[in-house]
Amino acid sequence: MAVYRFLTTWLLEAPREGVWDVLADNVRWPEWWWGVEAVDVLRPGEGEDRIGEIARYTWRSRLPYALAFDIEVVEVRRPVFMEGRAGGELAGVGRWRLFEEDGTTAVLYEWDVQTTRPW
């Protein structure tokens, strides 16, 4: 299967806490993130950080098909770090890291995954 490693960086003129709140509200991603078609919580997590939550994410890109995978929240250090493990049509790990300086927040998203079936 194919292995993919992505590093995405966003620079946002907003305080880190506010950016964190938007990212942590994953069920609303389809409202603002191009390509995210749906986020459905399959199992709620525990506590404020929702450790153990499993959500199914459906993405669509320029390719003529959708991609669905589940992510389990495994670690949260509010408001600087989140990690999730993916399974389904993609398997691997995603990590969010947030840094703030002078009212600007840098968001780094690492996505290390592989496909689970031939394409």
Side-chain angles (χ1 to χ4, degrees):
M1 302 309 139
V3 174
Y4 299 93
R5 298 191 76 194
F6 300 102
L7 177 62
T8 302
T9 304
W10 299 337
L11 291 176
L12 305 166
E13 292 184 22
R16 179 171 47 194
E17 286 284 342
V19 173
W20 177 272
D21 290 341
V22 170
L23 291 175
D25 191 3
N26 58 336
V27 296
R28 296 187 67 181
W29 287 5
E31 295 175 17
W32 59 268
W33 194 338
W34 183 89
V36 181
E37 289 201 334
V39 178
D40 300 300
V41 176
L42 305 178
R43 180 180 79 197
E46 296 183 19
E48 179 180 308
D49 292 333
R50 301 187 336 255
I51 300 296
E53 174 185 285
I54 297 176
R56 176 156 299 141
Y57 295 78
T58 305
W59 291 75
R60 185 173 296 277
S61 67
R62 294 187 175 146
L63 300 174
Y65 51 84
L67 181 67
F69 50 89
D70 300 342
I71 296 180
E72 179 178 4
V73 177
V74 295
E75 185 178 348
V76 175
R77 285 181 268 141
R78 180 181 176 85
V80 298
F81 181 80
M82 279 187 274
E83 180 175 292
R85 291 220 163 68
E89 292 184 298
L90 291 178
V93 176
R95 294 178 189 94
W96 293 97
R97 298 176 197 277
L98 285 75
F99 306 89
E100 182 181 6
E101 186 174 317
D102 299 327
T104 298
T105 299
V107 179
L108 295 144
Y109 185 60
E110 302 168 61
W111 189 226
D112 298 321
V113 294
Q114 65 181 33
T115 57
T116 58
R117 62 180 173 89
W119 293 44

